[in-house]
Amino acid sequence: MPKSFSSFLQLAIFYLKLNFKSQSEYRVAFFWQIVSMAINDSIWLFFWMFFFDRFPVLGNWNQRDVVAMWSVLAAGYGLGTALAGNSNNVATLILKGELDSWLLYPRAVLPHLLLGRMSVSSWGDFLFGVGAYLFLVHPSIENFLLFALLVPIVGVTVVGFSVGVGSLGFFLGSAETISENLRFALITFGTYPPSIFSGAAKILLYTVVPAGICSYLPVEALRQNSLELALLAAGGSMIVLFVGSAIFYAGLAKYESGSLIKLQS
Amino acid sequence: MRVLRKYLLVALLSARSNVVYLSEVVGRLLFLGVILYIFSRLWIAVYSHAGSHQVADLSIVQMIWYLVATEAMMLSGPRVSAAVDLDVRSGTIVNYLQRPLSYPLYCLSHNLGERTVRFFINLLVGSIIAYVLVGPLALSWNSVAFFLLALPLAFAVDFLSGFLIGLGAFWFEDTSGMNLIYSRMTMIFGGMLFPLSIFPDNVRPVLEWLPFSAVVYGPAKLFVSPSVGEFLSILARQSLAAVVFAILVYWIYGRASKRVFVNGG
Amino acid sequence: MNAVELNGLRKVYEMSVGSGFKREKREIAAVHGVDLIVPAGQSLALIGPNGAGKSTIIKMLTGILRPSSGDASVLGFRPWKDRVKLSYKIGSVFGQRSQLWYHLAPKDSFDLLAAIYDIPKVDYRKRLDELVERLSLSAFIDQPVRKLSLGQRIRAEIAASLLHRPSLLFLDEPSIGLDVVARQELRQLLRDWNRQEGLTVFLTSHDAGDIEAVSERVVVINHGQIVLDDSVENVRKDYLSERVISVVFHEDVKALDLPGLRILDNGGKKHRYELDGKNLSVPELVAKVLAQGDVADISIDDPPLEDVIAHIYSQAPGATNEK
């Protein structure tokens, strides 16, 4: 087990290096995609800070918590989709029969295919998140270490969720639109303060659309400097990843390799 | 007249080929459902905190229906800049230059045809969701008429901006970043998420005179609270924006197409 | 030892037909009970028109798809059960899909593949030197793939699939999208590697030309069933000897009337013949045509595979039940 894990880690580093090398063929585009994503995130954040200044409806949160919410979600999402760039493409890969290439290699299919692509603009999200937290929240070293622990936890949640909704493609055929919108729903719910939701919605936000795990719980952990809450989020992220992978592998047994489309056309 | 017919035909064809797929409608439903739900929660919190029926000159019902109008408009927009960017980079633009057909006008008619169909589907889906969430909007003949009359120029200005960004492909390695920032501008400073009336009095007039408000805020405001004076003022601002952008397109496109002939594509 | 053994292999797709309430499920058999044995070291071509089931068979043999019924053994493994173990022993080239990173040099992709297959450093270096030498890659191994010619690209592609020393190579429509030169290079390579290194080659194609150049055995498949299984020599003699010849003259010329030659088209300046290849050879015919007058253009084509299969059906009724 440890040997296969270290070999996986080596492979991950290799993919990262190759992806950077491949992207840097177009240096300017590479740079611009990252910068414009960071600008985009900043516009959002400043707008929401303005909004909650004008309409203070944050419950027991304050402006700093809004920044923390955007920072931890953006950094986690960025890290997750930068390294596992194909997590956003699962439905498309299934529909077009492009899992084939990954099935030909002597590697576990899911982790290997996730590594295969890097989403460049996601590095912009990551840099924005880390920067915003450092410069707007002014965390203590201890608090920043907690943030650094939470970022990969958020990343795992986002990637696990994306894999799960993308894998609906095995069962529905074409799930590109639906999985895209579900991913969008996770991120959108994750960028509004939980105080505005109540009742059944709260339950949904910790289960079906786990914005609670990739956003509210991490923010609460940062607010209270609580390692316990961070570990709770970590547990939640593992469950999301497990469920997502389970849907993927259950679907893989039914994989038709795009043959249906070819037959129909 | 015969020249116009050519472009009308393109528009009709593009509208017809944009047949409604069930999965796309389901996707829209999900997307609009998430957005409208979150915003209804957010505004309910804001209105109850303010303890008043009017916030930023609108009631909560008007506020949610305002969002229905802006989302229906913005979500219907085909990806102009990406398509133009691709035509430029792949060299397909040369095929258009050889035909007795203006490339910008061809794109415009294609765009409007597709957009009209999508707009009405979005409006229908959004209206159903808003009706369920906050009940009906008090509609008048004026609100419907002003809204519909303000749409063509709004779509045209939006198209022209996208077209300009797409033409950037002649000079820049990547235009997706610029497009991202443009769409963020229309979302926040164009009034897609909120009516511009929530902004402080010293910022508001500036935002209203920016072209972004001609695209989104203007028509949507007329939909929920129509007035003859505002209708005329919005048409004037839209026309100004359209003329300025059209001149810019004419000028830049002229320079760009010369480049194509000099460099042979 | 056998490289591949297929036993009543079947693959059925379920698809819904119609729309709305009239939607119903229908089963479509892509592969309809195929039995086949391929000894190690053989070079076999699986041919058939588009949609005949070739790709589905190859996908089942490489572990991508699970058959609906029947059994298969590839190098002693059941592909869909032992996918990972099998993948170390087989190589694959899928015509439309590249293993190479478009913006990077082939060397970068090779390095990655070495990591994917866990090839020890020393072995990798030795193997790479060998492949560079044999496939003459040295001139372009450090050039981005997008700058390579089609011929160079297919050589790099083959090298990528041979890096981990597979004993069986699957190729699914490898010649698709290649120009004439690149196609020749590919065929030459496969032939050499098969004859000199004993690599078992399992190739699908809808191009009759690939078969003659590369394979010793041909299996023709149509509608998911084997319609013919024979040596290339026999197939060439019986079915593939026909040629379609088109000639264009500068002036009007009377069409030739010779035994073994059928006139398909007679338009004064333009003639089209079908040559059966038994009574008259291509060089003989060309000599006769050139003697007729001032030739503007002449082309010699293989008959389309659809015609070959129609021919097989009409000539050998027993062949459809080949067991």
Side-chain angles (χ1 to χ4, degrees):
Chain A
M1 205 60 193
K3 185 188 176 280
S4 77
F5 183 74
S6 79
S7 137
F8 173 75
L9 214 63
Q10 271 177 4
L11 191 65
I13 293 167
F14 216 109
Y15 266 107
L16 193 65
K17 263 186 1 206
L18 225 54
N19 268 311
F20 267 116
K21 200 167 168 187
S22 171
Q23 294 290 348
S24 61
E25 284 283 306
Y26 296 93
R27 224 169 278 270
V28 181
F30 177 75
F31 175 77
W32 261 112
Q33 279 184 54
I34 294 176
V35 169
S36 50
M37 185 54 82
I39 295 178
N40 164 60
D41 292 343
S42 312
I43 296 176
W44 272 122
L45 179 62
F46 284 111
F47 174 76
W48 283 110
M49 287 173 76
F50 155 76
F51 183 88
F52 289 117
D53 188 49
R54 173 121 163 61
F55 306 111
V57 290
L58 290 170
N60 58 349
W61 278 22
N62 58 29
Q63 292 276 26
R64 253 174 60 140
D65 301 323
V66 176
V67 178
M69 175 171 71
W70 275 83
S71 306
V72 78
L73 185 61
Y77 174 90
L79 187 67
T81 50
L83 298 179
N86 264 334
S87 58
N88 287 346
N89 282 342
V90 175
T92 311
L93 292 174
I94 295 168
L95 181 68
K96 299 209 170 137
E98 285 175 10
L99 288 190
D100 291 13
S101 329
W102 305 100
L103 284 163
L104 290 168
Y105 294 124
R107 291 282 175 172
V109 186
L110 183 59
H112 189 199
L113 90 92
L114 287 180
L115 287 180
R117 203 175 141 260
M118 178 172 83
S119 161
V120 175
S121 58
S122 295
W123 287 115
D125 287 315
F126 176 73
L127 292 176
F128 158 81
V130 175
Y133 200 73
L134 274 177
F135 296 114
L136 296 175
V137 175
H138 304 296
S140 63
I141 291 178
E142 187 190 337
N143 190 257
F144 187 73
L145 287 177
L146 194 61
F147 177 81
L149 172 71
L150 283 161
V151 167
I153 292 173
V154 173
V156 166
T157 314
V158 172
V159 169
F161 182 78
S162 301
V163 167
V165 295
S167 302
L168 294 177
F170 286 120
F171 306 94
L172 303 177
S174 162
E176 282 176 304
T177 334
I178 289 185
S179 68
E180 190 187 345
N181 282 307
L182 285 169
R183 274 186 279 121
F184 163 83
L186 178 71
I187 301 306
T188 313
F189 276 108
T191 46
Y192 291 86
S195 58
I196 64 172
F197 305 112
S198 57
K202 280 234 148 112
I203 300 173
L204 285 181
L205 290 177
Y206 281 91
T207 51
V208 182
V209 180
I213 298 166
C214 65
S215 169
Y216 315 146
L217 210 50
V219 175
E220 212 52 44
L222 289 171
R223 270 164 57 85
Q224 300 175 20
N225 254 332
S226 155
L227 188 61
E228 284 83 1
L229 284 177
L231 292 177
L232 192 62
S237 75
M238 285 301 148
I239 294 174
V240 174
L241 183 65
F242 177 77
V243 172
S245 322
I247 300 176
F248 179 85
Y249 282 107
L252 191 61
K254 293 176 54 128
Y255 180 55
E256 301 287 21
S257 166
S259 307
L260 278 183
I261 318 172
K262 272 176 213 136
L263 278 177
Q264 273 166 333
S265 63
Chain B
M1 225 35 228
R2 295 197 41 186
V3 174
L4 251 173
R5 244 197 78 210
K6 188 156 64 181
Y7 296 108
L8 196 66
L9 224 77
V10 172
L12 278 176
L13 258 169
S14 123
R16 266 182 43 198
S17 64
N18 189 33
V19 194
V20 187
Y21 289 107
L22 186 68
S23 71
E24 202 187 323
V25 176
V26 173
R28 288 285 141 84
L29 206 72
L30 246 164
F31 185 93
L32 283 170
V34 168
I35 288 277
L36 291 173
Y37 171 74
I38 292 179
F39 275 79
S40 69
R41 299 306 308 173
L42 185 65
W43 283 120
I44 286 170
V46 168
Y47 277 82
S48 73
H49 183 267
S52 119
H53 289 296
Q54 294 271 317
V55 171
D57 306 330
L58 296 175
S59 73
I60 184 156
V61 174
Q62 284 175 315
M63 197 60 101
I64 299 302
W65 281 88
Y66 173 88
L67 199 62
V68 171
T70 59
E71 293 286 345
M73 283 191 292
M74 293 322 284
L75 289 181
S76 63
R79 298 178 178 186
V80 185
S81 70
V84 175
D85 181 291
L86 191 69
D87 278 347
V88 171
R89 270 180 227 287
S90 66
T92 16
I93 196 167
V94 177
N95 301 343
Y96 294 99
L97 293 177
Q98 286 158 356
R99 289 190 213 159
L101 184 97
S102 141
Y103 176 68
L105 283 179
Y106 168 82
C107 291
L108 176 66
S109 23
H110 195 279
N111 173 283
L112 290 182
E114 192 174 344
R115 191 159 191 176
T116 310
V117 179
R118 292 217 217 153
F119 168 75
F120 283 106
I121 296 168
N122 292 342
L123 190 65
L124 182 76
V125 171
S127 300
I128 295 169
I129 298 170
Y131 187 89
V132 172
L133 287 173
V134 292
L137 172 73
L139 272 181
S140 69
W141 285 114
N142 271 0
S143 59
V144 177
F146 288 172
F147 181 42
L148 292 182
L149 286 172
L151 282 180
L153 274 173
F155 288 171
V157 172
D158 191 33
F159 165 81
L160 290 168
S161 330
F163 194 84
L164 279 175
I165 293 172
L167 285 182
F170 276 108
W171 293 278
F172 308 115
E173 256 185 40
D174 175 70
T175 60
S176 67
M178 267 188 283
N179 190 48
L180 182 71
I181 290 170
Y182 168 75
S183 88
R184 207 54 70 237
M185 291 301 204
T186 48
M187 268 188 189
I188 292 169
F189 301 126
M192 173 168 160
L193 292 181
F194 308 94
L196 296 184
S197 40
I198 69 161
F199 285 101
D201 288 338
N202 50 349
V203 188
R204 219 166 105 185
V206 181
L207 294 181
E208 282 182 0
W209 275 100
L210 285 177
F212 310 112
S213 80
V215 175
V216 204
Y217 172 66
K221 181 77 191 301
L222 291 171
F223 181 56
V224 295
S225 86
S227 91
V228 180
E230 202 154 349
F231 174 60
L232 294 176
S233 134
I234 283 163
L235 277 193
R237 277 182 275 150
Q238 285 183 333
S239 311
L240 182 66
V243 168
V244 171
F245 279 50
I247 291 171
L248 274 174
V249 164
Y250 182 80
W251 182 61
I252 294 180
Y253 181 70
R255 289 189 50 164
S257 43
K258 260 185 218 132
R259 244 174 102 96
V260 171
F261 284 120
V262 170
N263 299 339
Chain C
M1 204 216 132
N2 290 328
V4 175
E5 287 176 28
L6 304 186
N7 214 327
L9 198 69
R10 255 168 70 82
K11 178 71 191 177
V12 178
Y13 293 115
E14 217 175 62
M15 59 189 261
S16 41
V17 191
S19 58
F21 292 111
K22 285 187 187 154
R23 194 173 279 236
E24 54 183 50
K25 288 221 162 140
R26 195 192 290 168
E27 288 197 335
I28 290 185
V31 176
H32 223 317
V34 166
D35 300 316
L36 186 70
I37 288 178
V38 184
Q42 194 171 58
S43 174
L44 174 137
L46 187 65
I47 65 166
N50 282 325
K54 295 167 300 193
S55 292
T56 305
I57 291 179
I58 260 199
K59 282 176 184 171
M60 287 191 278
L61 295 184
T62 48
I64 292 172
L65 284 178
R66 188 177 278 269
S68 309
S69 64
D71 203 0
S73 159
V74 178
L75 303 171
F77 297 107
R78 190 168 287 154
W80 51 96
K81 288 249 167 70
D82 302 314
R83 185 186 68 77
V84 172
K85 280 186 207 144
L86 176 64
S87 62
Y88 282 108
K89 308 264 161 111
I90 58 169
S92 46
V93 176
F94 283 59
Q96 312 89 318
R97 242 163 241 157
S98 177
Q99 303 205 60
L100 306 170
W101 289 48
Y102 191 64
H103 292 304
L104 296 178
K107 176 71 166 54
D108 290 315
S109 298
F110 296 160
D111 290 350
L112 176 69
L113 285 165
I116 292 175
Y117 284 96
D118 267 327
I119 306 174
K121 271 217 172 80
V122 185
D123 287 3
Y124 169 54
R125 211 161 295 152
K126 241 173 79 187
R127 178 64 165 178
L128 189 62
D129 288 345
E130 187 186 342
L131 288 168
V132 167
E133 152 108 39
R134 291 284 306 268
L135 303 178
S136 351
L137 307 176
S138 54
F140 56 87
I141 193 167
D142 292 317
Q143 299 259 332
V145 170
R146 63 168 191 277
K147 291 185 181 160
L148 305 187
S149 71
L150 284 171
Q152 293 173 326
R153 213 176 281 184
I154 192 72
R155 266 146 63 198
E157 201 75 57
I158 298 282
S161 60
L162 294 177
L163 210 55
H164 57 289
R165 300 177 191 274
S167 57
L168 167 58
L169 185 63
F170 286 104
L171 301 106
D172 192 11
E173 302 281 1
S175 57
I176 253 179
L178 295 186
D179 56 30
V180 182
V181 181
R183 206 171 277 213
Q184 294 299 351
E185 268 186 70
L186 170 70
R187 289 168 180 170
Q188 178 75 38
L189 267 177
L190 292 175
R191 193 164 48 214
D192 289 355
W193 219 273
N194 167 250
R195 312 254 150 104
Q196 295 164 16
E197 310 285 315
L199 177 74
T200 312
V201 173
F202 194 115
L203 168 127
T204 77
S205 180
H206 66 273
D207 179 347
D210 283 347
I211 312 148
E212 294 189 71
V214 177
S215 314
E216 45 195 295
R217 177 179 172 196
V218 182
V219 172
V220 181
I221 184 165
N222 198 26
H223 298 303
Q225 282 176 313
I226 293 179
V227 293
L228 181 83
D229 180 351
D230 209 338
S231 72
V232 166
E233 265 164 75
N234 286 341
V235 173
R236 183 185 293 146
K237 209 163 67 219
D238 295 344
Y239 307 106
L240 294 175
S241 54
E242 289 177 4
R243 290 288 183 276
V244 175
I245 315 243
S246 314
V247 198
V248 182
F249 290 98
H250 281 298
E251 68 272 25
D252 279 4
V253 169
K254 234 181 79 188
L256 285 169
D257 184 14
L258 294 165
L261 192 66
R262 203 155 67 83
I263 300 169
L264 297 175
D265 215 1
N266 181 1
K269 282 183 191 160
K270 279 188 204 167
H271 301 164
R272 229 153 61 86
Y273 305 107
E274 189 183 270
L275 181 70
D276 72 4
K278 285 172 192 152
N279 300 309
L280 191 66
S281 72
V282 174
E284 283 168 343
L285 176 66
V286 171
K288 286 201 157 73
V289 167
L290 289 175
Q292 270 192 301
D294 194 2
V295 173
D297 191 21
I298 184 164
S299 73
I300 304 157
D301 299 301
D302 296 327
L305 206 56
E306 284 72 11
D307 292 359
V308 176
I309 286 173
H311 198 158
I312 292 169
Y313 276 127
S314 67
Q315 292 219 333
T320 45
N321 290 324
E322 186 81 37
K323 286 277 153 169

